[in-house]
Amino acid sequence: MSRDQKLILASGSPRRLDLLNQVGIRPARLMPMDIDETPKKSEHPRSLARRLSTEKAEAAYGAISGDLAWRNSYILSADTVVAVGRRILSKTEYMEEASAALHLLSGRGHWVYTGVCLVTPGGQFRQKVVETKVRFKRLSTREIEAYLASDQWRGKAGAYAIQGIAGSFVQKLVGSYSNVVGLPLYETALLLNGEGFDVAAHWAEG
């Protein structure tokens, strides 16, 4: 396929953009979608990740539907959910929330689910949910307090970003590391290539 293929990233996450750039993908447009991310009653974390990524893709698709300049674009969206069992740990905005989440994660395993949704130029929706199991070491009070002071927990699902200081908390990880950062690269590239988007088109440019 030609190099002029357009990809819209329906996310404002700098981490997802960095991950795409890592594998040579430069989105032509960023379209963060403001949707209600509140889980439904008894909704499984995996189902939530799938639903939110789909709703973001649908919103972006609707926003460009009448714009001829973007008619033949691909749209990629994603949403990451952190959970202990069926208990969903939302994005933390307050220190008390972050402290509670870190105490819950301390010394135990949890799951990270990322829903990925791709809309093709023909309007077909392709979806994938990737899961990774992460186990934290037992965190001391000192470590939790120092991490809270770093402010790296703010706005993060589960109150941590694995690519930052919290990477030192991870005792064991089973599955995709990039999934925990926010976008599973292997599965995302597989979706794109499977629908005719040439992921490797710009690799020779470095």
Side-chain angles (χ1 to χ4, degrees):
M1 300 295 289
S2 66
R3 292 188 179 187
D4 60 359
Q5 292 176 318
K6 294 178 182 177
L7 175 70
I8 295 171
L9 178 61
S11 172
S13 167
R15 294 167 297 284
R16 293 193 180 109
L17 180 59
D18 286 346
L19 285 167
L20 287 176
N21 289 343
Q22 179 184 321
V23 293
I25 299 173
R26 304 288 189 272
R29 182 175 177 179
L30 302 181
M31 288 185 66
M33 292 292 107
D34 185 16
I35 65 170
D36 183 1
E37 299 187 6
T38 305
K40 295 180 179 179
K41 186 176 181 181
S42 302
E43 188 169 25
H44 190 279
R46 183 184 182 91
S47 299
L48 176 63
R50 177 184 291 273
R51 177 173 65 83
L52 294 182
S53 64
T54 301
E55 289 181 359
K56 290 176 181 179
E58 288 173 342
Y61 183 64
I64 67 162
S65 60
D67 191 336
L68 295 178
W70 298 98
R71 173 178 287 178
N72 295 318
S73 300
Y74 292 81
I75 299 171
L76 181 69
S77 67
D79 195 88
T80 301
V81 175
V82 176
V84 176
R86 292 181 65 97
R87 180 175 175 180
I88 296 167
L89 302 184
S90 301
K91 295 176 182 176
T92 49
E93 300 297 338
Y94 301 101
M95 190 172 289
E96 294 77 11
E97 296 173 328
S99 178
L102 291 169
H103 278 93
L104 179 64
L105 296 175
S106 175
R108 68 193 305 175
H110 62 276
W111 291 93
V112 179
Y113 302 89
T114 299
V116 181
C117 186
L118 177 68
V119 187
T120 71
Q124 285 79 41
F125 283 68
R126 301 288 183 256
Q127 299 163 302
K128 179 76 176 176
V129 179
V130 180
E131 58 186 55
T132 302
K133 188 167 187 180
V134 182
R135 183 178 181 84
F136 271 16
K137 70 174 187 175
R138 188 167 299 281
L139 302 174
S140 67
T141 299
R142 168 62 180 152
E143 286 173 318
I144 291 176
E145 289 177 348
Y147 186 69
L148 291 173
S150 77
D151 221 33
Q152 289 191 12
W153 52 268
R154 195 174 299 278
K156 305 297 192 302
Y160 77 94
I162 195 171
Q163 69 274 23
I165 295 168
S168 66
F169 301 163
V170 178
Q171 189 175 57
K172 186 176 182 180
L173 185 149
V174 181
S176 167
Y177 171 84
S178 60
N179 182 53
V180 184
V181 179
L183 189 69
L185 288 177
Y186 168 76
E187 290 82 2
T188 299
L190 202 63
L191 275 177
L192 287 164
N193 280 320
E195 296 300 329
F197 185 93
D198 190 355
V199 172
H202 295 277
W203 286 1
E205 298 173 6

